[in-house]
Amino acid sequence: MEQGDKQATYNELETEQPVSKEGADSQPQDEAVGAASEHADAQAGENPEAASTTADPAEQTSVEAEELAKAKAQVAELEEKLAEMEKRYLRLYADFENFRRRARQEMEAAEKYRAQSLASDLLPVLDNFERALKIETENEQAKSILQGVEMVYRSLLDALRKEGVEVIEAVGKPFDPHLHQAVMQTDEGGYEPNTVVEELQKGYKLKDRILRPAMVKVSQ
């Protein structure tokens, strides 16, 4: 019985296939290579951008250059718009300053010549007073009236003088077309040529503005 059992065990050992040393050594290496490959595939799947960047640096450089060119174009466009806005601002500022200057000048002129309209309306009144005062009379009552008229005339002149109205000097002065209006010429002696020899109507000015030129006769 024991001899039969030993024979059976010996037969089972002979049926088992022996494993060589090379086969035993290559099996762990194949498993390691497969694991490394699977690990690399997993990393590539998790971070495709990194894999792509590493794989194609020329394409990355091209993309960066394109983005840089776009950024430079945007900067140039913004700089052009800024320059245009600055020009518009300077034009508007200059227009506003001109408007302020004109408004200030108009206000100053309005203040300076505020009596111009009234003074111009009173000039015919002054002319009538002057004509009345030229009347000669021996009547005492008429003389008294003329004295009253002269007082009113002087008071009116004083009021206008306070506002800057002045009589333009004419007789004996060189003819000035800005101040005088020549209506006649004469050969009277005793005067230099182009000199006012007679005043036919008084002229007036308001400060430096002519209200009415003097009507005169001028020597030739």
Side-chain angles (χ1 to χ4, degrees):
M1 191 67 178
E2 294 178 2
Q3 186 174 358
D5 294 337
K6 290 181 180 180
Q7 185 67 30
T9 303
Y10 179 76
N11 291 335
E12 290 176 1
L13 291 175
E14 285 183 348
T15 57
E16 293 180 2
Q17 298 294 332
V19 179
S20 65
K21 184 178 181 180
E22 293 179 357
D25 293 338
S26 62
Q27 184 175 359
Q29 291 179 357
D30 293 340
E31 294 177 355
V33 171
S37 177
E38 292 178 358
H39 182 69
D41 293 341
Q43 287 184 345
E46 293 176 358
N47 193 359
E49 294 181 357
S52 175
T53 302
T54 305
D56 196 355
E59 182 178 354
Q60 181 184 6
T61 304
S62 177
V63 172
E64 291 178 352
E66 184 178 354
E67 292 179 353
L68 181 61
K70 290 181 180 179
K72 288 182 177 180
Q74 291 178 353
V75 170
E77 183 180 359
L78 291 175
E79 288 179 348
E80 184 178 356
K81 290 182 179 180
L82 179 62
E84 182 64 24
M85 294 296 293
E86 185 176 0
K87 290 180 181 179
R88 291 181 59 187
Y89 167 75
L90 292 176
R91 286 196 297 267
L92 290 174
Y93 182 78
D95 292 340
F96 179 69
E97 287 298 319
N98 291 334
F99 169 76
R100 288 182 59 186
R101 185 177 66 256
R102 288 194 301 268
R104 183 173 61 253
Q105 291 175 349
E106 290 175 359
M107 290 180 61
E108 292 175 353
E111 177 64 21
K112 184 177 182 180
Y113 305 111
R114 64 180 183 273
Q116 180 175 352
S117 179
L118 177 60
S120 298
D121 293 339
L122 290 176
L123 295 185
V125 179
L126 295 176
D127 294 339
N128 292 332
F129 273 109
E130 290 170 1
R131 295 188 187 97
L133 293 175
K134 289 179 180 179
I135 297 174
E136 296 182 359
T137 181
E138 297 296 332
N139 190 317
E140 294 297 329
Q141 186 176 3
K143 287 182 180 181
S144 236
I145 294 174
L146 289 177
Q147 288 178 354
V149 170
E150 184 176 5
M151 290 177 62
V152 174
Y153 172 70
R154 298 297 177 188
S155 298
L156 184 58
L157 282 179
D158 290 340
L160 291 174
R161 193 175 292 111
K162 290 179 181 179
E163 292 296 328
V165 178
E166 299 177 2
V167 178
I168 296 175
E169 297 181 2
V171 178
K173 300 293 182 180
F175 175 75
D176 186 347
H178 299 289
L179 302 176
H180 310 131
Q181 181 182 358
V183 295
M184 296 177 64
Q185 286 186 330
T186 181
D187 293 333
E188 295 181 11
Y191 293 97
E192 295 182 359
N194 205 34
T195 301
V196 176
V197 298
E198 183 180 353
E199 183 181 61
L200 305 178
Q201 187 183 57
K202 285 185 177 181
Y204 296 89
K205 63 181 181 178
L206 176 60
K207 297 179 180 180
D208 56 352
R209 182 175 293 182
I210 304 301
L211 293 176
R212 185 180 71 184
M215 191 178 298
V216 297
K217 183 191 292 186
V218 182
S219 63
Q220 293 182 350

